Structures are given as C-alpha cells and as structure tokens.
Amino acid sequence: MVTAYIMVKANTGEADRLKGEILDLGDGVVDANIVAGDVDFIVKVHVETPVDVKDIASAIQAVDGIEDTQTYIAMD
C-alpha cells in the first residue's frame, strides 16, 4: 500500500465545496483537511500503487477552483 499527502492550492473562497468534491473522488482519498499556510488543503491518500496516487492527484487538479498541487509519497 502507498500513503501519500497531496498539498492543494485553491483560487476560490469555496473551501467547503472543494473539500466535498475532493472527498467524493472515491476510493483512496482518506481525508481532506482545510489548513492555514501556503496551501489550502492537505489530502491524505491510501492506495495500492504510485500510479493510483497520480490518478487521484490528476483528478484533484481537474476540480474547478484548484490552482496547484504538490504530492508527497510517504516512505515509511
């Protein structure tokens, strides 16, 4: 199993809507937290392969209002 954290920047004030859409992306999205700082959300992903992480990151990027993402795969 692969655990990853996706940092998400948004360009809209609709944090609740974005959080809901991210959580609705399906299996593998464990949690999405609205945070203060350089990013707007931290999304925790738990999937089978690194390719699955990429697929979820791509799906997040396709959500209307998402500006940028950075993905970090956990090593332990």
Side-chain angles (χ1 to χ4, degrees):
M1 294 298 282
V2 178
T3 299
Y5 299 90
I6 303 172
M7 309 300 139
V8 180
K9 286 188 179 184
N11 61 8
T12 179
E14 300 177 88
D16 291 329
R17 177 189 63 84
L18 293 175
K19 180 178 177 178
E21 288 192 35
I22 290 168
L23 289 170
D24 288 343
L25 289 175
D27 293 340
V29 177
V30 174
D31 204 0
N33 296 103
I34 299 169
V35 297
D38 293 336
V39 298
D40 299 296
F41 298 92
I42 298 176
V43 180
K44 184 176 182 181
V45 174
H46 194 68
V47 292
E48 291 292 325
T49 69
V51 172
D52 295 330
V53 174
K54 180 180 177 268
D55 292 344
I56 290 174
S58 294
I60 291 171
Q61 291 169 353
V63 172
D64 186 42
I66 299 300
E67 182 178 316
D68 192 24
T69 63
Q70 292 183 341
T71 302
Y72 300 90
I73 294 178
M75 301 303 287
D76 64 350

